[in-house]
């Protein structure tokens, strides 16, 4: 059930049959705390379209995600709340002091998880390196340092 929007559902609305799964990697549960808990490679910079798959993945395995924080410069849309299946995620946007390639998720009573965000247009080989880097115990680096190490090259349309 989605959060109330004040608009009535319409039979004309098109609902996708099955949203694509989140391109997501997470560090193993026994992994010692590190600056980054995993990586996410969204297909676009449309946060309202991208966030539900990510939240569903964490809701099932970690706990209900209730809040999210991210740098304002990384996403063209910055809603205060994002409805996802069954609940609403509150958002906080930072203009400075937050890693530009990270997103932070909070689950009530469980804690937080920081994820490296691989930009949607990143070249596939670079993205694959970035997706596996947080789980490497030899690379206990921040999101920015992981991006620098991978080169961060981009190719438009290679999402």
């Amino acid at each position: 059930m989605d959060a109330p929007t004040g608009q009535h559902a319409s039979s004309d609305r098109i609902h996708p049959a099955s949203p694509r799964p989140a391109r997501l990697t997470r560090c193993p549960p026994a992994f010692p705390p590190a600056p980054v808990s995993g990586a996410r490679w969204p297909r676009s910079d449309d946060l309202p379209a991208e966030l539900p798959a990510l939240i569903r993945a964490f809701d099932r395995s970690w706990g209900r995600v209730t809040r999210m924080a991210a740098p304002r410069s990384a996403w063209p849309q910055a809603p205060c709340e994002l409805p996802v299946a069954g609940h609403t995620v509150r958002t906080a946007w930072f203009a400075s002091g937050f890693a530009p390639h990270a997103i932070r998720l909070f689950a009530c009573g469980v804690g937080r998880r920081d994820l490296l965000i691989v930009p949607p247009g990143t070249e596939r080989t670079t993205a694959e390196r970035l997706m596996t880097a947080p789980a490497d115990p030899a690379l206990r680096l921040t999101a920015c340092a992981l991006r620098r190490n991978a080169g961060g090259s981009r190719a438009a349309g290679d999402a």
Side-chain angles (χ1 to χ4, degrees):
M1 183 170 148
D2 290 335
T5 61
Q7 298 177 356
H8 297 287
S10 166
S11 58
D12 301 18
R13 253 187 220 166
I14 299 171
H15 296 280
S18 175
R20 293 173 12 175
R23 294 188 291 192
L24 172 69
T25 58
R26 291 179 273 187
C27 297
F31 195 80
V36 178
S37 303
R40 166 80 167 105
W41 185 19
R43 290 175 174 84
S44 75
D45 63 1
D46 181 356
L47 188 63
E50 292 288 339
L51 192 64
L54 176 63
I55 299 301
R56 275 192 304 276
F58 273 93
D59 280 355
R60 284 192 302 265
S61 65
W62 179 50
R64 178 170 272 198
V65 175
T66 57
R67 293 181 295 139
M68 181 215 77
R72 176 62 193 100
S73 61
W75 305 94
Q77 299 175 44
C80 294
E81 296 180 337
L82 287 162
V84 296
H87 63 290
T88 300
V89 175
R90 293 190 182 273
T91 60
W93 301 100
F94 294 88
S96 64
F98 200 94
H101 304 291
I103 192 168
R104 182 170 289 162
L105 302 176
F106 298 88
C108 191
V110 179
R112 80 176 205 211
R113 296 288 185 267
D114 291 357
L115 299 174
L116 166 68
I117 297 298
V118 179
T122 302
E123 180 183 71
R124 182 166 296 283
T125 56
T126 301
E128 289 169 353
R129 279 195 309 274
L130 285 166
M131 293 294 287
T132 59
D136 184 342
L139 295 177
R140 296 179 50 79
L141 301 173
T142 64
C144 289
L146 288 168
R147 290 265 306 151
R148 273 193 308 273
N149 281 0
S153 60
R154 294 178 57 122
D158 188 23

